[in-house]
């Protein structure tokens, strides 16, 4: 019997000295500067480090922005002079708000002269001004406009308070900080919520993409304001409006205007404890003829 071969594989082809195997590729190099050559692995590592550095820088800027925003809520403004212990416990975020000056202070209310300002406003769904679903839906619509859902994709700063208005004698079509304002249209049983617009834009506010949002300038006015804490309900507002009208009926210097509608301002975000919330109810007033 013939001896079996040691290996059944075909012999490898011979190659000249210094010749590279056909299946082995030379290491890739990348030219990064004149006269400098680095390997592909080094280039990839440099790219990863550069991207990581950019991401870290962006994260630091974002963290600084978030910290700045959080500070506005953690260290509230003291723009209101408390009259009672209840008001002393109230906190107001350090955000841009409606400019005003106090004309008169009483135990139950104060009279303010409010400068003109712009609002973004939307009609609230449902028949109640302060039900959770309706309020949340309206708030989100206005917040979307404020944070970029507009014709220029402008992201504007939050203001305070949010206003809720009730009972206009005449409905109207509108052109186009915080309180949030809510109002109710007479005869239509509809409420409206509005955001105060940052003053730096003036009349040059971007147009909303959502047709349910309108922009309006409110003229300067004199209002009687009563502050209170806690959660806001329709029944509570109705009772507080009646009390404020009773107090103003005894005021010899100011009286409620015939077409005045109740307006509610809420200064705090939803996560605020009820006893530290600042809410206000307001009625537009005018100087009494007797006082003139």
């Amino acid at each position: 019997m013939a001896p079996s071969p040691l290996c059944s594989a075909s012999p490898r082809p011979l190659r000249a000295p210094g010749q590279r195997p056909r299946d082995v590729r030379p290491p890739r190099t990348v030219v990064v500067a004149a006269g400098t050559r680095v390997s592909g692995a080094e280039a990839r590592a440099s790219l990863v480090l550069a991207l990581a550095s950019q991401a870290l820088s962006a994260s630091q800027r974002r963290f600084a922005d978030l910290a700045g925003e959080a500070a506005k809520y953690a260290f509230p403004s003291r723009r209101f002079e408390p009259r009672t212990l209840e008001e002393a416990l109230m906190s107001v975020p350090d955000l841009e708000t409606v400019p005003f000056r106090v004309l008169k202070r009483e135990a139950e209310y104060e009279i303010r002269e409010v400068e003109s300002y712009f609002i973004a406003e939307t009609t609230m769904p449902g028949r109640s001004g302060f039900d959770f679903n309706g309020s949340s839906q309206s708030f989100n619509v206005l917040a979307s406009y404020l944070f970029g859902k507009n014709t220029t994709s402008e992201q504007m700063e939050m203001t305070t308070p949010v206003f809720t208005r009730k009972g206009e004698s005449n409905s109207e079509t509108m052109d186009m900080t915080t309180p949030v304002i809510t109002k109710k249209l007479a005869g239509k049983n509809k409420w409206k919520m509005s955001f105060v617009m940052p003053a730096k834009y003036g009349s040059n506010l971007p147009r909303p993409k959502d047709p349910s949002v309108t922009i309006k300038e409110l003229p300067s006015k004199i209002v009687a304001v009563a502050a209170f804490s806690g959660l806001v309900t329709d029944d509570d507002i109705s009772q507080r409006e009646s009390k404020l009208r009773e107090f103003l009926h005894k005021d010899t210097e100011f009286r409620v205007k015939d077409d005045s509608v109740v307006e509610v301002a809420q200064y705090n975000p939803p996560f605020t404890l009820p006893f530290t919330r600042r809410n206000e109810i307001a009625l537009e007033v005018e100087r009494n003829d007797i006082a003139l």
Side-chain angles (χ1 to χ4, degrees), residues 20 78 94 122 171 181 209 240 245 275:
R20 296 179 182 275
R78 291 296 180 186
D94 190 18
T122 189
S171 62
I181 308 172
K209 290 183 178 180
R240 292 182 183 279
R245 289 182 180 273
F275 69 91

Side-chain angles (χ1 to χ4, degrees), residues 72-80 86-94 160 229 266-269 271-279:
K72 294 178 180 179
Y73 296 91
F75 304 100
S77 168
R78 291 296 180 186
R79 63 172 59 96
F80 298 101
E86 180 185 16
E87 290 191 26
L89 294 174
M90 296 176 186
S91 65
V92 176
D94 190 18
T160 189
S229 60
Q266 296 171 272
Y267 285 84
N268 306 96
F271 53 79
T272 307
L273 294 173
F275 69 91
T276 64
R277 292 173 181 259
R278 184 179 182 91
N279 310 305

Side-chain angles (χ1 to χ4, degrees), residues 10-269:
S10 57
R12 296 182 179 179
L14 297 176
R15 60 178 185 272
Q19 181 181 356
R20 296 179 182 275
R22 293 182 180 180
D23 58 342
V24 177
R25 296 182 180 180
R28 297 178 60 185
T29 58
V30 178
V31 178
V32 297
T36 304
R37 299 174 69 86
V38 296
S39 67
E42 291 174 331
R44 288 191 294 273
S46 297
L47 178 60
V48 169
L49 288 175
L51 293 176
S53 177
Q54 291 180 359
L56 178 61
S57 178
S59 298
Q60 290 174 337
R61 290 195 300 270
R62 180 59 178 165
F63 178 79
D65 292 341
L66 291 175
E69 289 299 314
K72 294 178 180 179
Y73 296 91
F75 304 100
S77 168
R78 291 296 180 186
R79 63 172 59 96
F80 298 101
E81 182 180 346
R83 291 190 302 268
T84 63
L85 176 60
E86 180 185 16
E87 290 191 26
L89 294 174
M90 296 176 186
S91 65
V92 176
D94 190 18
L95 302 174
E96 181 179 348
T97 189
V98 179
F100 67 87
R101 67 186 183 97
V102 177
L103 302 180
K104 178 180 179 180
R105 292 173 65 88
E106 297 289 346
E108 299 82 8
Y109 62 92
E110 69 181 26
I111 304 294
R112 298 177 186 169
E113 184 176 33
V114 181
E115 298 181 15
S116 62
Y117 58 97
F118 283 86
I119 60 171
E121 189 169 68
T122 189
T123 300
M124 302 176 69
R127 295 178 177 273
S128 174
F130 300 97
D131 69 280
F132 179 79
N133 291 332
S135 298
S136 297
Q137 180 177 332
S138 300
F139 188 95
N140 290 337
V141 167
L142 294 174
S144 295
Y145 163 71
L146 195 69
F147 299 140
K149 193 175 181 181
N150 50 65
T151 53
T152 61
S153 299
E154 179 79 10
Q155 295 188 12
M156 295 171 274
E157 294 183 355
M158 189 64 188
T159 59
T160 189
V162 176
F163 283 111
T164 310
R165 302 179 192 270
K166 178 184 178 182
E168 280 189 334
S169 57
N170 294 309
S171 62
E172 60 182 26
T173 302
M174 302 176 194
D175 302 329
M176 149 67 186
T177 15
T178 41
V180 174
I181 308 172
T182 310
K183 65 183 176 186
K184 184 180 179 184
L185 298 178
K188 293 190 176 182
N189 205 28
K190 289 292 184 180
W191 292 76
K192 292 207 169 192
M193 178 181 286
S194 59
F195 280 11
V196 178
M197 293 292 96
K200 67 180 182 180
Y201 293 95
S203 60
N204 298 318
L205 286 160
R207 307 290 294 186
K209 290 183 178 180
D210 190 332
S212 69
V213 178
T214 55
I215 304 299
K216 180 181 181 180
E217 182 180 13
L218 300 183
S220 58
K221 58 186 177 182
I222 299 176
V223 293
V225 177
F228 61 99
S229 60
L231 302 177
V232 180
T233 65
D234 290 85
D235 290 341
D236 188 34
I237 293 304
S238 179
Q239 295 176 15
R240 292 182 183 279
E241 178 186 358
S242 297
K243 289 182 179 179
L244 182 57
R245 289 182 180 273
E246 290 178 6
F247 292 138
L248 291 170
H249 185 70
K250 303 174 184 178
D251 195 305
T252 59
E253 187 176 357
F254 294 93
R255 64 183 182 187
V256 180
K257 294 186 66 174
D258 293 337
D259 58 349
S260 180
V261 297
V262 66
E263 178 176 275
V264 180
Q266 296 171 272
Y267 285 84
N268 306 96

